PDB file of all heavy atoms in Angstrom:
ATOM      1  N   LEU A  75      -8.216   4.856   8.571  1.00 97.00           N
ATOM      2  CA  LEU A  75      -9.069   4.975   9.768  1.00 97.00           C
ATOM      3  C   LEU A  75      -8.804   3.820  10.722  1.00 97.00           C
ATOM      4  O   LEU A  75      -9.730   3.186  11.222  1.00 97.00           O
ATOM      5  CB  LEU A  75     -10.539   4.979   9.345  1.00 97.00           C
ATOM      6  CG  LEU A  75     -11.108   6.346   8.984  1.00 97.00           C
ATOM      7  CD1 LEU A  75     -12.433   6.211   8.259  1.00 97.00           C
ATOM      8  CD2 LEU A  75     -11.311   7.183  10.249  1.00 97.00           C
ATOM      9  N   ALA A  76      -7.515   3.544  10.964  1.00 98.00           N
ATOM     10  CA  ALA A  76      -7.144   2.431  11.838  1.00 98.00           C
ATOM     11  C   ALA A  76      -7.568   1.095  11.252  1.00 98.00           C
ATOM     12  O   ALA A  76      -7.867   0.143  11.978  1.00 98.00           O
ATOM     13  CB  ALA A  76      -7.710   2.608  13.247  1.00 98.00           C
ATOM     14  N   LYS A  79      -8.298  -0.959   4.554  1.00 98.00           N
ATOM     15  CA  LYS A  79      -9.692  -1.221   4.198  1.00 98.00           C
ATOM     16  C   LYS A  79      -9.940  -2.665   3.746  1.00 98.00           C
ATOM     17  O   LYS A  79      -9.470  -3.094   2.706  1.00 98.00           O
ATOM     18  CB  LYS A  79     -10.160  -0.232   3.127  1.00 98.00           C
ATOM     19  CG  LYS A  79     -10.183   1.208   3.666  1.00 98.00           C
ATOM     20  CD  LYS A  79     -10.871   2.188   2.722  1.00 98.00           C
ATOM     21  CE  LYS A  79     -10.754   3.610   3.238  1.00 98.00           C
ATOM     22  NZ  LYS A  79     -11.237   3.796   4.618  1.00 98.00           N
ATOM     23  N   PRO A  82      -8.249  -7.906   7.637  1.00 98.00           N
ATOM     24  CA  PRO A  82      -8.023  -8.107   9.078  1.00 98.00           C
ATOM     25  C   PRO A  82      -6.532  -8.033   9.410  1.00 98.00           C
ATOM     26  O   PRO A  82      -5.675  -8.363   8.589  1.00 98.00           O
ATOM     27  CB  PRO A  82      -8.557  -9.527   9.333  1.00 98.00           C
ATOM     28  CG  PRO A  82      -9.460  -9.826   8.181  1.00 98.00           C
ATOM     29  CD  PRO A  82      -8.896  -9.063   7.016  1.00 98.00           C
ATOM     30  N   GLN A  83      -6.261  -7.626  10.635  1.00 98.00           N
ATOM     31  CA  GLN A  83      -4.881  -7.416  11.062  1.00 98.00           C
ATOM     32  C   GLN A  83      -4.042  -8.699  10.977  1.00 98.00           C
ATOM     33  O   GLN A  83      -2.848  -8.637  10.675  1.00 98.00           O
ATOM     34  CB  GLN A  83      -4.872  -6.873  12.497  1.00 98.00           C
ATOM     35  CG  GLN A  83      -4.986  -5.368  12.629  1.00 98.00           C
ATOM     36  CD  GLN A  83      -6.315  -4.755  12.260  1.00 98.00           C
ATOM     37  OE1 GLN A  83      -6.911  -5.109  11.250  1.00 98.00           O
ATOM     38  NE2 GLN A  83      -6.789  -3.819  13.074  1.00 98.00           N
ATOM     39  N   ASP A  84      -4.641  -9.852  11.251  1.00 98.00           N
ATOM     40  CA  ASP A  84      -3.818 -11.067  11.195  1.00 98.00           C
ATOM     41  C   ASP A  84      -3.396 -11.392   9.765  1.00 98.00           C
ATOM     42  O   ASP A  84      -2.320 -11.959   9.544  1.00 98.00           O
ATOM     43  CB  ASP A  84      -4.508 -12.255  11.891  1.00 98.00           C
ATOM     44  CG  ASP A  84      -5.916 -12.499  11.384  1.00 98.00           C
ATOM     45  OD1 ASP A  84      -6.480 -11.633  10.699  1.00 98.00           O
ATOM     46  OD2 ASP A  84      -6.465 -13.567  11.685  1.00 98.00           O
ATOM     47  N   GLU A  87      -0.412  -9.244   9.147  1.00 98.00           N
ATOM     48  CA  GLU A  87       0.770  -9.868   9.760  1.00 98.00           C
ATOM     49  C   GLU A  87       1.296 -10.986   8.870  1.00 98.00           C
ATOM     50  O   GLU A  87       2.501 -11.091   8.635  1.00 98.00           O
ATOM     51  CB  GLU A  87       0.414 -10.405  11.145  1.00 98.00           C
ATOM     52  CG  GLU A  87       0.211  -9.307  12.187  1.00 98.00           C
ATOM     53  CD  GLU A  87      -0.269  -9.835  13.531  1.00 98.00           C
ATOM     54  OE1 GLU A  87      -0.721 -11.004  13.605  1.00 98.00           O
ATOM     55  OE2 GLU A  87      -0.224  -9.070  14.512  1.00 98.00           O
ATOM     56  N   PRO A 105     -12.189   7.994  15.195  1.00 98.00           N
ATOM     57  CA  PRO A 105     -13.128   8.154  16.316  1.00 98.00           C
ATOM     58  C   PRO A 105     -12.781   9.315  17.221  1.00 98.00           C
ATOM     59  O   PRO A 105     -13.454   9.517  18.217  1.00 98.00           O
ATOM     60  CB  PRO A 105     -12.963   6.839  17.074  1.00 98.00           C
ATOM     61  CG  PRO A 105     -11.527   6.486  16.874  1.00 98.00           C
ATOM     62  CD  PRO A 105     -11.172   6.973  15.490  1.00 98.00           C
ATOM     63  N   PHE A 119      -5.755   0.206  20.258  1.00 98.00           N
ATOM     64  CA  PHE A 119      -7.100   0.424  19.713  1.00 98.00           C
ATOM     65  C   PHE A 119      -7.389  -0.514  18.554  1.00 98.00           C
ATOM     66  O   PHE A 119      -8.449  -1.136  18.475  1.00 98.00           O
ATOM     67  CB  PHE A 119      -7.238   1.882  19.273  1.00 98.00           C
ATOM     68  CG  PHE A 119      -8.555   2.219  18.631  1.00 98.00           C
ATOM     69  CD1 PHE A 119      -9.736   2.132  19.358  1.00 98.00           C
ATOM     70  CD2 PHE A 119      -8.617   2.629  17.309  1.00 98.00           C
ATOM     71  CE1 PHE A 119     -10.958   2.443  18.772  1.00 98.00           C
ATOM     72  CE2 PHE A 119      -9.832   2.935  16.717  1.00 98.00           C
ATOM     73  CZ  PHE A 119     -11.005   2.851  17.449  1.00 98.00           C
ATOM     74  N   SER A 121      -5.488  -3.108  17.716  1.00 98.00           N
ATOM     75  CA  SER A 121      -4.846  -4.402  17.951  1.00 98.00           C
ATOM     76  C   SER A 121      -3.785  -4.689  16.885  1.00 98.00           C
ATOM     77  O   SER A 121      -3.829  -5.701  16.195  1.00 98.00           O
ATOM     78  CB  SER A 121      -5.882  -5.534  17.980  1.00 98.00           C
ATOM     79  OG  SER A 121      -5.256  -6.738  18.377  1.00 98.00           O
ATOM     80  N   ARG A 368      -2.034 -15.635  -0.844  1.00 97.00           N
ATOM     81  CA  ARG A 368      -3.164 -16.522  -0.589  1.00 97.00           C
ATOM     82  C   ARG A 368      -4.277 -16.336  -1.612  1.00 97.00           C
ATOM     83  O   ARG A 368      -5.165 -17.191  -1.708  1.00 97.00           O
ATOM     84  CB  ARG A 368      -3.691 -16.341   0.828  1.00 97.00           C
ATOM     85  CG  ARG A 368      -4.305 -15.003   1.142  1.00 97.00           C
ATOM     86  CD  ARG A 368      -4.967 -15.006   2.528  1.00 97.00           C
ATOM     87  NE  ARG A 368      -4.000 -14.981   3.601  1.00 97.00           N
ATOM     88  CZ  ARG A 368      -4.197 -15.505   4.809  1.00 97.00           C
ATOM     89  NH1 ARG A 368      -5.333 -16.110   5.087  1.00 97.00           N
ATOM     90  NH2 ARG A 368      -3.283 -15.430   5.745  1.00 97.00           N
ATOM     91  N   ARG A 372      -5.013 -19.605  -4.546  1.00 98.00           N
ATOM     92  CA  ARG A 372      -6.301 -20.258  -4.276  1.00 98.00           C
ATOM     93  C   ARG A 372      -7.391 -19.963  -5.299  1.00 98.00           C
ATOM     94  O   ARG A 372      -8.183 -20.839  -5.626  1.00 98.00           O
ATOM     95  CB  ARG A 372      -6.806 -19.851  -2.891  1.00 98.00           C
ATOM     96  CG  ARG A 372      -8.150 -20.448  -2.528  1.00 98.00           C
ATOM     97  CD  ARG A 372      -8.356 -20.649  -1.051  1.00 98.00           C
ATOM     98  NE  ARG A 372      -9.453 -21.581  -0.822  1.00 98.00           N
ATOM     99  CZ  ARG A 372      -9.695 -22.184   0.338  1.00 98.00           C
ATOM    100  NH1 ARG A 372      -8.908 -21.953   1.364  1.00 98.00           N
ATOM    101  NH2 ARG A 372     -10.696 -23.027   0.462  1.00 98.00           N
ATOM    102  N   TYR A 373      -7.442 -18.716  -5.778  1.00 98.00           N
ATOM    103  CA  TYR A 373      -8.594 -18.302  -6.583  1.00 98.00           C
ATOM    104  C   TYR A 373      -8.203 -18.046  -8.039  1.00 98.00           C
ATOM    105  O   TYR A 373      -7.059 -17.718  -8.333  1.00 98.00           O
ATOM    106  CB  TYR A 373      -9.225 -17.042  -5.989  1.00 98.00           C
ATOM    107  CG  TYR A 373      -9.594 -17.192  -4.525  1.00 98.00           C
ATOM    108  CD1 TYR A 373      -8.790 -16.652  -3.523  1.00 98.00           C
ATOM    109  CD2 TYR A 373     -10.731 -17.905  -4.152  1.00 98.00           C
ATOM    110  CE1 TYR A 373      -9.129 -16.794  -2.182  1.00 98.00           C
ATOM    111  CE2 TYR A 373     -11.073 -18.056  -2.809  1.00 98.00           C
ATOM    112  CZ  TYR A 373     -10.269 -17.495  -1.829  1.00 98.00           C
ATOM    113  OH  TYR A 373     -10.594 -17.637  -0.503  1.00 98.00           O
ATOM    114  N   TYR A 377     -13.052 -16.190 -10.879  1.00 98.00           N
ATOM    115  CA  TYR A 377     -13.736 -15.972  -9.597  1.00 98.00           C
ATOM    116  C   TYR A 377     -13.574 -14.528  -9.146  1.00 98.00           C
ATOM    117  O   TYR A 377     -14.537 -13.889  -8.720  1.00 98.00           O
ATOM    118  CB  TYR A 377     -13.190 -16.949  -8.553  1.00 98.00           C
ATOM    119  CG  TYR A 377     -13.901 -16.856  -7.216  1.00 98.00           C
ATOM    120  CD1 TYR A 377     -15.262 -17.137  -7.110  1.00 98.00           C
ATOM    121  CD2 TYR A 377     -13.212 -16.486  -6.065  1.00 98.00           C
ATOM    122  CE1 TYR A 377     -15.920 -17.052  -5.889  1.00 98.00           C
ATOM    123  CE2 TYR A 377     -13.856 -16.402  -4.836  1.00 98.00           C
ATOM    124  CZ  TYR A 377     -15.215 -16.684  -4.761  1.00 98.00           C
ATOM    125  OH  TYR A 377     -15.860 -16.597  -3.543  1.00 98.00           O
ATOM    126  N   HIS A 380     -15.814 -12.403 -11.171  1.00 98.00           N
ATOM    127  CA  HIS A 380     -17.206 -12.569 -10.736  1.00 98.00           C
ATOM    128  C   HIS A 380     -17.472 -11.760  -9.464  1.00 98.00           C
ATOM    129  O   HIS A 380     -18.497 -11.060  -9.362  1.00 98.00           O
ATOM    130  CB  HIS A 380     -17.495 -14.050 -10.491  1.00 98.00           C
ATOM    131  CG  HIS A 380     -18.683 -14.313  -9.625  1.00 98.00           C
ATOM    132  ND1 HIS A 380     -19.977 -14.029 -10.020  1.00 98.00           N
ATOM    133  CD2 HIS A 380     -18.784 -14.810  -8.356  1.00 98.00           C
ATOM    134  CE1 HIS A 380     -20.809 -14.348  -9.039  1.00 98.00           C
ATOM    135  NE2 HIS A 380     -20.124 -14.820  -8.021  1.00 98.00           N
ATOM    136  N   GLU A 386     -19.391  -8.020  -4.783  1.00 98.00           N
ATOM    137  CA  GLU A 386     -19.182  -8.770  -3.546  1.00 98.00           C
ATOM    138  C   GLU A 386     -18.044  -8.127  -2.753  1.00 98.00           C
ATOM    139  O   GLU A 386     -16.988  -7.798  -3.311  1.00 98.00           O
ATOM    140  CB  GLU A 386     -18.843 -10.229  -3.872  1.00 98.00           C
ATOM    141  CG  GLU A 386     -20.053 -11.062  -4.259  1.00 98.00           C
ATOM    142  CD  GLU A 386     -20.987 -11.328  -3.071  1.00 98.00           C
ATOM    143  OE1 GLU A 386     -20.483 -11.638  -1.979  1.00 98.00           O
ATOM    144  OE2 GLU A 386     -22.217 -11.211  -3.256  1.00 98.00           O
ATOM    145  N   VAL A 387     -18.249  -7.986  -1.467  1.00 98.00           N
ATOM    146  CA  VAL A 387     -17.235  -7.367  -0.607  1.00 98.00           C
ATOM    147  C   VAL A 387     -15.933  -8.165  -0.629  1.00 98.00           C
ATOM    148  O   VAL A 387     -14.842  -7.610  -0.487  1.00 98.00           O
ATOM    149  CB  VAL A 387     -17.783  -7.239   0.828  1.00 98.00           C
ATOM    150  CG1 VAL A 387     -16.675  -6.963   1.820  1.00 98.00           C
ATOM    151  CG2 VAL A 387     -18.810  -6.115   0.880  1.00 98.00           C
TER     152      VAL A 387
ATOM    153  N   LEU B  75     -23.762 -15.692  -3.650  1.00 97.00           N
ATOM    154  CA  LEU B  75     -23.149 -15.553  -4.980  1.00 97.00           C
ATOM    155  C   LEU B  75     -21.773 -16.205  -5.010  1.00 97.00           C
ATOM    156  O   LEU B  75     -20.802 -15.625  -5.472  1.00 97.00           O
ATOM    157  CB  LEU B  75     -23.038 -14.073  -5.327  1.00 97.00           C
ATOM    158  CG  LEU B  75     -24.260 -13.460  -5.998  1.00 97.00           C
ATOM    159  CD1 LEU B  75     -24.206 -11.952  -5.958  1.00 97.00           C
ATOM    160  CD2 LEU B  75     -24.377 -13.944  -7.439  1.00 97.00           C
ATOM    161  N   ALA B  76     -21.687 -17.416  -4.454  1.00 98.00           N
ATOM    162  CA  ALA B  76     -20.401 -18.123  -4.378  1.00 98.00           C
ATOM    163  C   ALA B  76     -19.431 -17.402  -3.465  1.00 98.00           C
ATOM    164  O   ALA B  76     -18.221 -17.453  -3.661  1.00 98.00           O
ATOM    165  CB  ALA B  76     -19.803 -18.338  -5.775  1.00 98.00           C
ATOM    166  N   LYS B  79     -20.522 -13.356   2.169  1.00 98.00           N
ATOM    167  CA  LYS B  79     -20.167 -11.954   1.938  1.00 98.00           C
ATOM    168  C   LYS B  79     -19.064 -11.446   2.871  1.00 98.00           C
ATOM    169  O   LYS B  79     -19.259 -11.319   4.074  1.00 98.00           O
ATOM    170  CB  LYS B  79     -21.408 -11.066   2.048  1.00 98.00           C
ATOM    171  CG  LYS B  79     -22.414 -11.380   0.930  1.00 98.00           C
ATOM    172  CD  LYS B  79     -23.535 -10.371   0.836  1.00 98.00           C
ATOM    173  CE  LYS B  79     -24.569 -10.795  -0.200  1.00 98.00           C
ATOM    174  NZ  LYS B  79     -24.035 -11.058  -1.545  1.00 98.00           N
ATOM    175  N   GLN B  83     -12.419 -17.784   1.894  1.00 98.00           N
ATOM    176  CA  GLN B  83     -12.690 -19.201   2.104  1.00 98.00           C
ATOM    177  C   GLN B  83     -11.798 -19.813   3.186  1.00 98.00           C
ATOM    178  O   GLN B  83     -12.224 -20.707   3.911  1.00 98.00           O
ATOM    179  CB  GLN B  83     -12.517 -19.953   0.777  1.00 98.00           C
ATOM    180  CG  GLN B  83     -13.754 -19.997  -0.120  1.00 98.00           C
ATOM    181  CD  GLN B  83     -14.176 -18.700  -0.763  1.00 98.00           C
ATOM    182  OE1 GLN B  83     -14.197 -17.647  -0.119  1.00 98.00           O
ATOM    183  NE2 GLN B  83     -14.532 -18.737  -2.035  1.00 98.00           N
ATOM    184  N   ASP B  84     -10.541 -19.376   3.289  1.00 98.00           N
ATOM    185  CA  ASP B  84      -9.680 -20.001   4.302  1.00 98.00           C
ATOM    186  C   ASP B  84     -10.137 -19.645   5.710  1.00 98.00           C
ATOM    187  O   ASP B  84      -9.972 -20.445   6.635  1.00 98.00           O
ATOM    188  CB  ASP B  84      -8.196 -19.679   4.077  1.00 98.00           C
ATOM    189  CG  ASP B  84      -7.916 -18.196   3.930  1.00 98.00           C
ATOM    190  OD1 ASP B  84      -8.871 -17.415   3.765  1.00 98.00           O
ATOM    191  OD2 ASP B  84      -6.743 -17.808   3.991  1.00 98.00           O
ATOM    192  N   GLU B  87     -12.895 -22.044   6.448  1.00 98.00           N
ATOM    193  CA  GLU B  87     -12.323 -23.338   6.841  1.00 98.00           C
ATOM    194  C   GLU B  87     -11.868 -23.303   8.291  1.00 98.00           C
ATOM    195  O   GLU B  87     -12.124 -24.227   9.065  1.00 98.00           O
ATOM    196  CB  GLU B  87     -11.153 -23.692   5.918  1.00 98.00           C
ATOM    197  CG  GLU B  87     -11.592 -24.074   4.514  1.00 98.00           C
ATOM    198  CD  GLU B  87     -10.420 -24.287   3.550  1.00 98.00           C
ATOM    199  OE1 GLU B  87      -9.289 -23.878   3.882  1.00 98.00           O
ATOM    200  OE2 GLU B  87     -10.659 -24.844   2.474  1.00 98.00           O
ATOM    201  N   PRO B 105     -22.663 -15.667 -11.911  1.00 98.00           N
ATOM    202  CA  PRO B 105     -22.097 -15.422 -13.240  1.00 98.00           C
ATOM    203  C   PRO B 105     -22.752 -16.238 -14.332  1.00 98.00           C
ATOM    204  O   PRO B 105     -22.315 -16.175 -15.476  1.00 98.00           O
ATOM    205  CB  PRO B 105     -20.641 -15.886 -13.059  1.00 98.00           C
ATOM    206  CG  PRO B 105     -20.738 -17.017 -12.089  1.00 98.00           C
ATOM    207  CD  PRO B 105     -21.862 -16.650 -11.145  1.00 98.00           C
ATOM    208  N   PHE B 119     -14.940 -23.380  -8.870  1.00 98.00           N
ATOM    209  CA  PHE B 119     -15.099 -21.950  -9.189  1.00 98.00           C
ATOM    210  C   PHE B 119     -14.749 -21.076  -7.991  1.00 98.00           C
ATOM    211  O   PHE B 119     -14.024 -20.085  -8.102  1.00 98.00           O
ATOM    212  CB  PHE B 119     -16.543 -21.691  -9.640  1.00 98.00           C
ATOM    213  CG  PHE B 119     -16.847 -20.253  -9.929  1.00 98.00           C
ATOM    214  CD1 PHE B 119     -16.185 -19.576 -10.954  1.00 98.00           C
ATOM    215  CD2 PHE B 119     -17.801 -19.559  -9.195  1.00 98.00           C
ATOM    216  CE1 PHE B 119     -16.475 -18.242 -11.229  1.00 98.00           C
ATOM    217  CE2 PHE B 119     -18.094 -18.241  -9.454  1.00 98.00           C
ATOM    218  CZ  PHE B 119     -17.421 -17.574 -10.478  1.00 98.00           C
ATOM    219  N   SER B 121     -13.276 -22.180  -5.228  1.00 98.00           N
ATOM    220  CA  SER B 121     -12.190 -22.779  -4.454  1.00 98.00           C
ATOM    221  C   SER B 121     -12.646 -23.157  -3.044  1.00 98.00           C
ATOM    222  O   SER B 121     -12.087 -22.716  -2.048  1.00 98.00           O
ATOM    223  CB  SER B 121     -10.975 -21.837  -4.392  1.00 98.00           C
ATOM    224  OG  SER B 121      -9.876 -22.504  -3.802  1.00 98.00           O
ATOM    225  N   ARG B 368     -11.546 -15.373  16.322  1.00 97.00           N
ATOM    226  CA  ARG B 368     -10.422 -14.472  16.061  1.00 97.00           C
ATOM    227  C   ARG B 368     -10.816 -13.005  16.225  1.00 97.00           C
ATOM    228  O   ARG B 368      -9.939 -12.154  16.323  1.00 97.00           O
ATOM    229  CB  ARG B 368      -9.825 -14.726  14.684  1.00 97.00           C
ATOM    230  CG  ARG B 368     -10.702 -14.413  13.510  1.00 97.00           C
ATOM    231  CD  ARG B 368      -9.920 -14.524  12.192  1.00 97.00           C
ATOM    232  NE  ARG B 368      -9.657 -15.905  11.813  1.00 97.00           N
ATOM    233  CZ  ARG B 368      -8.600 -16.272  11.088  1.00 97.00           C
ATOM    234  NH1 ARG B 368      -7.731 -15.390  10.683  1.00 97.00           N
ATOM    235  NH2 ARG B 368      -8.433 -17.532  10.770  1.00 97.00           N
ATOM    236  N   ARG B 372      -9.138 -10.747  19.693  1.00 98.00           N
ATOM    237  CA  ARG B 372      -8.188  -9.732  19.232  1.00 98.00           C
ATOM    238  C   ARG B 372      -8.691  -8.299  19.345  1.00 98.00           C
ATOM    239  O   ARG B 372      -7.921  -7.399  19.668  1.00 98.00           O
ATOM    240  CB  ARG B 372      -7.788 -10.011  17.780  1.00 98.00           C
ATOM    241  CG  ARG B 372      -6.815  -8.989  17.225  1.00 98.00           C
ATOM    242  CD  ARG B 372      -5.951  -9.522  16.103  1.00 98.00           C
ATOM    243  NE  ARG B 372      -4.796  -8.653  15.903  1.00 98.00           N
ATOM    244  CZ  ARG B 372      -3.720  -8.959  15.238  1.00 98.00           C
ATOM    245  NH1 ARG B 372      -3.614 -10.158  14.699  1.00 98.00           N
ATOM    246  NH2 ARG B 372      -2.723  -8.134  15.101  1.00 98.00           N
ATOM    247  N   TYR B 373      -9.976  -8.076  19.049  1.00 98.00           N
ATOM    248  CA  TYR B 373     -10.454  -6.707  18.918  1.00 98.00           C
ATOM    249  C   TYR B 373     -11.421  -6.334  20.045  1.00 98.00           C
ATOM    250  O   TYR B 373     -12.077  -7.196  20.620  1.00 98.00           O
ATOM    251  CB  TYR B 373     -11.136  -6.512  17.568  1.00 98.00           C
ATOM    252  CG  TYR B 373     -10.268  -6.902  16.397  1.00 98.00           C
ATOM    253  CD1 TYR B 373     -10.445  -8.124  15.743  1.00 98.00           C
ATOM    254  CD2 TYR B 373      -9.237  -6.068  15.956  1.00 98.00           C
ATOM    255  CE1 TYR B 373      -9.634  -8.492  14.670  1.00 98.00           C
ATOM    256  CE2 TYR B 373      -8.433  -6.431  14.893  1.00 98.00           C
ATOM    257  CZ  TYR B 373      -8.631  -7.640  14.248  1.00 98.00           C
ATOM    258  OH  TYR B 373      -7.834  -8.000  13.196  1.00 98.00           O
ATOM    259  N   TYR B 377     -13.292  -0.816  19.039  1.00 98.00           N
ATOM    260  CA  TYR B 377     -12.757  -0.866  17.677  1.00 98.00           C
ATOM    261  C   TYR B 377     -13.840  -1.313  16.692  1.00 98.00           C
ATOM    262  O   TYR B 377     -14.000  -0.724  15.618  1.00 98.00           O
ATOM    263  CB  TYR B 377     -11.556  -1.799  17.624  1.00 98.00           C
ATOM    264  CG  TYR B 377     -10.888  -1.855  16.270  1.00 98.00           C
ATOM    265  CD1 TYR B 377     -10.324  -0.715  15.704  1.00 98.00           C
ATOM    266  CD2 TYR B 377     -10.824  -3.040  15.550  1.00 98.00           C
ATOM    267  CE1 TYR B 377      -9.716  -0.755  14.469  1.00 98.00           C
ATOM    268  CE2 TYR B 377     -10.201  -3.095  14.306  1.00 98.00           C
ATOM    269  CZ  TYR B 377      -9.650  -1.950  13.766  1.00 98.00           C
ATOM    270  OH  TYR B 377      -9.054  -1.999  12.538  1.00 98.00           O
ATOM    271  N   HIS B 380     -16.134   1.531  16.132  1.00 98.00           N
ATOM    272  CA  HIS B 380     -15.505   2.524  15.251  1.00 98.00           C
ATOM    273  C   HIS B 380     -15.571   2.079  13.787  1.00 98.00           C
ATOM    274  O   HIS B 380     -15.907   2.879  12.900  1.00 98.00           O
ATOM    275  CB  HIS B 380     -14.051   2.731  15.677  1.00 98.00           C
ATOM    276  CG  HIS B 380     -13.179   3.341  14.631  1.00 98.00           C
ATOM    277  ND1 HIS B 380     -13.338   4.636  14.184  1.00 98.00           N
ATOM    278  CD2 HIS B 380     -12.150   2.825  13.913  1.00 98.00           C
ATOM    279  CE1 HIS B 380     -12.447   4.893  13.244  1.00 98.00           C
ATOM    280  NE2 HIS B 380     -11.713   3.816  13.060  1.00 98.00           N
ATOM    281  N   GLU B 386     -16.297   1.253   7.605  1.00 98.00           N
ATOM    282  CA  GLU B 386     -15.133   0.492   7.155  1.00 98.00           C
ATOM    283  C   GLU B 386     -15.564  -0.923   6.764  1.00 98.00           C
ATOM    284  O   GLU B 386     -16.332  -1.580   7.490  1.00 98.00           O
ATOM    285  CB  GLU B 386     -14.090   0.431   8.276  1.00 98.00           C
ATOM    286  CG  GLU B 386     -13.285   1.708   8.422  1.00 98.00           C
ATOM    287  CD  GLU B 386     -12.318   1.931   7.259  1.00 98.00           C
ATOM    288  OE1 GLU B 386     -11.673   0.957   6.829  1.00 98.00           O
ATOM    289  OE2 GLU B 386     -12.225   3.073   6.775  1.00 98.00           O
ATOM    290  N   LEU B 388     -13.957  -3.543   6.894  1.00 98.00           N
ATOM    291  CA  LEU B 388     -13.512  -4.536   7.871  1.00 98.00           C
ATOM    292  C   LEU B 388     -14.602  -4.828   8.903  1.00 98.00           C
ATOM    293  O   LEU B 388     -14.636  -5.927   9.469  1.00 98.00           O
ATOM    294  CB  LEU B 388     -12.220  -4.060   8.558  1.00 98.00           C
ATOM    295  CG  LEU B 388     -11.509  -5.076   9.433  1.00 98.00           C
ATOM    296  CD1 LEU B 388     -11.156  -6.353   8.683  1.00 98.00           C
ATOM    297  CD2 LEU B 388     -10.243  -4.464  10.048  1.00 98.00           C
ATOM    298  N   GLN B 390     -17.747  -5.326   8.307  1.00 98.00           N
ATOM    299  CA  GLN B 390     -18.522  -6.447   7.780  1.00 98.00           C
ATOM    300  C   GLN B 390     -17.759  -7.759   7.875  1.00 98.00           C
ATOM    301  O   GLN B 390     -18.326  -8.800   8.235  1.00 98.00           O
ATOM    302  CB  GLN B 390     -18.896  -6.169   6.320  1.00 98.00           C
ATOM    303  CG  GLN B 390     -19.554  -7.365   5.659  1.00 98.00           C
ATOM    304  CD  GLN B 390     -20.117  -7.044   4.297  1.00 98.00           C
ATOM    305  OE1 GLN B 390     -20.372  -5.891   3.956  1.00 98.00           O
ATOM    306  NE2 GLN B 390     -20.326  -8.079   3.492  1.00 98.00           N
TER     307      GLN B 390
END
Side-chain angles (χ1 to χ4, degrees):
Chain A
L75 273 166
K79 295 190 185 306
Q83 273 69 316
D84 53 346
E87 288 175 345
F119 177 64
S121 188
R368 66 172 74 209
R372 179 151 198 165
Y373 306 102
Y377 184 62
H380 160 68
E386 282 290 317
V387 165
Chain B
L75 273 165
K79 295 191 185 305
Q83 273 70 316
D84 52 348
E87 288 174 345
F119 177 63
S121 188
R368 66 172 74 208
R372 179 154 197 164
Y373 305 101
Y377 183 61
H380 161 67
E386 282 290 318
L388 190 57
Q390 173 171 339

